[in-house]
Amino acid sequence: MSAIRFLAADKLASWLAEVAASRQVLAPRQEGKAVVFRPLVAGETPSLARATISPKAAVFPACETLVHFTGTKDPENPAKLNMQLDDTPDAPARMVFGCRSCDARGFAVLDKPFLEGKFQDAYYKARRDNLLVVTRTCDSPCSTCFCHWTGGGPADPTGSDVLLTAVNGGFVLEAVSEKGEAFLASTKLADGSDKMDEAKAAREKAAASQQPAPDLSKAARRLEQRFTDVDFWAEQTAKCLSCGACTYMCPTCQCFNISDEGDPLEGRRLRSWDNCMSPLFTREASGHNPRTAKALRMRNRVSHKYWYAPDYSDGRFACTGCGRCIKQCPVSLDIREIVLNAIADDAEAK
């Protein structure tokens, strides 16, 4: 039986402060009109609102130093250069608190390219190994949520270590991984088994409030059929600004760029988020760019999530249905409409 604990609502801040004594706690904080994940400040009660941006940066920072290099000349032989490299990952013990199931599933999607391929990304792995994910199950969906379209749900445990569900007087914490079991076993929280039925009822109510999901089982095949239909993609992306906000808000986008800064004697190599909607994203060293049109860039973005990824991920989409790309888009471009239009019956005929 999984570990189940109860946390009184008025004890939330003090409990998180105790956790923060041994690991960094990243929790939602209201900053202006946005809710963002930030290191918890002593005595702070985090926002329980749905965050504006995903907590992806906890394992895949927007910008990180991969290697810092320092060169010193041998005083006896100036032609000889001694080079020192520091590639130690920045990976302290962390807890992401208050993310949603769509966010936690994003970690599972990122695990595929960074951990499960022929080579593991040492920087990502170090942060992932040291990360504990406490997921706040949703009470009700918002208009842009479609997690159930992509195989998830308001209380889907994928990628999470602990599920936190609001009940009368506080929260039920349920371990859903070995890491979560060990964490809850180490806490002094009261047993919450007697409140588990209430938590399950709340989760079922949230799931029942979602509108029926369309059948996306043919999405990969229909998108493949649409691949050469440039007119279709041009029509779907006519109002797109190519600003890339959708990719930066996304919990699963994984593209990055590598750059060096400094001089031959001291500098660093950086890895920074990149986005496939950028006009320069695919420009080659020769100057040739195979995707100058935004329609072709959007084709790549949507196809990756609903066609390419399922091919190498046992049918799982590389989209968790969080809806941030819809909500934060300045022109309200809706990826749901693009996918539904792509899998419409006329695609079969083409």
Side-chain angles (χ1 to χ4, degrees):
M1 184 177 179
S2 62
I4 301 172
R5 299 289 184 268
F6 175 73
L7 172 65
D10 60 355
K11 301 295 183 182
L12 176 60
S14 59
W15 176 70
L16 287 175
E18 291 178 10
V19 175
S22 58
R23 66 173 69 224
Q24 184 185 63
V25 176
L26 300 176
R29 178 188 301 161
Q30 186 80 42
E31 293 187 357
K33 295 182 179 180
V35 177
V36 294
F37 286 92
R38 293 285 188 264
L40 191 72
V41 176
E44 177 184 16
T45 299
S47 169
L48 293 178
R50 186 171 179 270
T52 307
I53 192 168
S54 81
K56 175 173 65 176
V59 290
F60 180 33
C63 183
E64 64 175 314
T65 298
L66 299 180
V67 180
H68 183 271
F69 57 90
T70 304
T72 55
K73 289 188 175 183
D74 188 329
E76 302 298 327
N77 181 8
K80 183 179 180 181
L81 184 66
N82 297 315
M83 187 67 69
Q84 292 183 325
L85 303 178
D86 181 4
D87 61 354
T88 307
D90 176 22
R94 287 191 177 106
M95 179 175 84
V96 166
F97 175 83
C99 68
R100 301 306 171 105
S101 289
C102 52
D103 296 325
R105 286 182 67 222
F107 294 132
V109 172
L110 294 174
D111 287 347
K112 189 70 178 178
F114 287 116
L115 298 181
E116 299 177 20
K118 184 177 180 180
F119 302 102
Q120 290 187 334
D121 186 292
Y123 306 93
Y124 179 91
K125 185 178 187 302
R127 285 186 290 268
R128 190 74 169 98
D129 288 345
N130 289 336
L131 182 68
L132 182 79
V133 182
V134 178
T135 300
R136 166 84 158 89
T137 63
C138 292
D139 299 320
S140 60
C142 62
S143 62
T144 53
C145 292
F146 62 108
C147 58
H148 59 314
W149 288 32
T150 62
D156 180 16
T158 305
S160 300
D161 297 304
V162 175
L163 293 182
L164 178 140
T165 305
V167 295
N168 186 32
F171 307 94
V172 168
L173 291 88
E174 178 191 11
V176 291
S177 74
E178 291 184 1
K179 193 183 294 185
E181 289 277 356
F183 171 70
L184 288 187
S186 68
T187 70
K188 299 178 182 179
L189 297 176
D191 181 77
S193 300
D194 60 331
K195 297 182 181 296
M196 196 61 212
D197 287 343
E198 185 181 351
K200 288 181 178 178
R203 297 174 188 176
E204 291 170 359
K205 181 179 179 181
S209 67
Q210 294 180 303
Q211 297 295 319
D215 179 10
L216 300 186
S217 61
K218 297 181 180 180
R221 178 163 59 86
R222 299 291 177 87
L223 283 166
E224 182 179 8
Q225 293 170 336
R226 287 287 197 190
F227 189 79
T228 57
D229 188 355
V230 178
D231 290 340
F232 168 80
W233 291 104
E235 179 182 356
Q236 298 301 309
T237 58
K239 63 181 180 180
C240 174
L241 303 178
S242 286
C243 66
C246 51
T247 65
Y248 294 126
M249 297 292 172
C250 180
T252 67
C253 278
Q254 55 213 235
C255 293
F256 59 83
N257 192 23
I258 299 291
S259 59
D260 294 336
E261 66 176 27
D263 56 57
L265 293 181
E266 184 173 7
R268 59 178 181 164
R269 172 158 291 182
L270 302 173
R271 172 163 67 182
S272 308
W273 288 355
D274 204 348
N275 82 86
C276 61
M277 294 310 300
S278 168
L280 301 181
F281 180 73
T282 52
R283 190 175 68 176
E284 301 168 3
S286 66
H288 172 64
N289 190 341
R291 294 197 195 117
T292 55
K294 65 181 178 182
L296 302 185
R297 298 193 293 273
M298 183 62 76
R299 179 183 68 182
N300 180 68
R301 171 173 162 74
V302 176
S303 295
H304 176 221
K305 295 186 180 300
Y306 289 92
W307 169 19
Y308 314 154
D311 273 356
Y312 63 73
S313 302
D314 302 319
R316 292 174 295 175
F317 296 125
C319 172
T320 64
C322 73
R324 289 190 177 92
C325 62
I326 305 168
K327 190 171 185 178
Q328 305 303 327
C329 177
V331 295
S332 301
L333 191 68
D334 195 327
I335 193 172
R336 295 172 299 186
E337 293 181 2
I338 295 177
V339 173
L340 291 179
N341 290 337
I343 64 176
D345 290 342
D346 63 335
E348 190 75 38
K350 289 181 179 296

